[in-house]
Amino acid sequence: LFRFAGQVIAGQGVNFNQALLDAGVTLAPNSVNPAFASGSNPVLNNAGTILTLSSNNLVERLSINPSGAAGTSGILSNGISTGTGTIRDLSVTATSGSNAVNLTSNTGATFNFNNIALTAASGSGFSATGGGTVSATQNNSSTVNTVTTTTGQAIKVTSTTIGASGLTFRSVASNGGTTTNGITRSEEHTSELQ
C-alpha cells in the first residue's frame, strides 16, 4: 500500500509502528489503526500532529485527517538540515485549527510533492517557511495537486526555495479569512509557483 524509506508496507500482518520507526517516521500516539483492508489506503486520524518527517522519507498512499487546535498538522517537518523527502499520492483533510502540511526551518532539506489533495478549515493548506527547497509536480490528468481552505491560508512559501520543477497546483481555493492572504510568497525564486 505504501512505502517509507524503501520499506514497503502492504496488507495485514505487518507491524506498522515498527516499520515507521525503522524508516525514521514518527506518528503521534494513537494515530494508527494498523488493521486495514488490502487494496485500500490507510486512514490516519488524530487530534494532534499525525506524521512528523525526518530526513529521506518516502510517504505515499495515505489519507491523513488531523483534527486538533492551531499548531497541529497532518504532515510536519521542523528543523531538518539534510536529505530529501518525497510525499505523493495522498490526501490530508485538516479540521479545526490543524494545518494540512507545515514545513518549518528545514534549512538543508528538499521536499518533493506529487498528487496531493490538501484541505484545511482555519489552518494552513500548504506552508513552507524558514528554509529548504520545496516542489510540487503534476501532469494535470492522472496526477493533480489541489489546496482548499475555508478561512485558513491556502499556500504560504516564505524564506524557502521553490525547486527547479516548480510548485504547481491545479486548483487553489481559500476564503482567506480576515487577516491572511490566500497565497503568500516572499523572496525571488528561480522557479515558479503556478
Side-chain angles (χ1 to χ4, degrees):
L1 291 179
F2 57 97
R3 180 178 12 203
F4 291 92
Q7 182 169 7
V8 176
I9 301 171
Q12 298 182 16
V14 173
N15 185 328
F16 189 77
N17 291 327
Q18 185 61 50
L20 294 175
L21 182 64
D22 292 346
V25 176
T26 303
L27 293 177
N30 304 315
S31 292
V32 179
N33 177 358
F36 45 86
S38 179
S40 66
N41 291 345
V43 177
L44 306 179
N45 299 298
N46 198 315
T49 294
I50 294 179
L51 190 71
T52 302
L53 301 175
S54 59
S55 60
N56 298 318
N57 294 128
L58 170 58
V59 179
E60 62 184 0
R61 298 186 190 128
L62 287 174
S63 295
I64 299 173
N65 303 313
S67 60
T72 61
S73 300
I75 297 176
L76 172 69
S77 182
N78 185 13
I80 304 300
S81 60
T82 186
T84 300
T86 300
I87 300 92
R88 63 184 179 210
D89 303 325
L90 63 82
S91 66
V92 180
T93 303
T95 58
S96 299
S98 291
N99 304 304
V101 172
N102 187 16
L103 311 173
T104 59
S105 303
N106 297 297
T107 55
T110 299
F111 297 96
N112 301 310
F113 292 85
N114 180 271
N115 200 32
I116 56 172
L118 308 176
T119 304
S122 60
S124 296
F126 183 92
S127 178
T129 62
T133 302
V134 295
S135 66
T137 58
Q138 63 180 21
N139 65 15
N140 257 343
S141 59
S142 61
T143 58
V144 175
N145 301 317
T146 62
V147 179
T148 303
T149 63
T150 305
T151 58
Q153 188 165 26
I155 298 174
K156 180 178 184 178
V157 180
T158 60
S159 302
T160 300
T161 301
I162 295 175
S165 58
L167 194 62
T168 305
F169 292 89
R170 183 175 194 172
S171 69
V172 176
S174 176
N175 289 333
T178 57
T179 60
T180 60
N181 300 310
I183 299 174
T184 298
R185 175 182 165 200
S186 72
E187 301 182 4
E188 291 300 317
H189 301 284
T190 58
S191 298
E192 294 297 321
L193 169 63
Q194 302 175 358

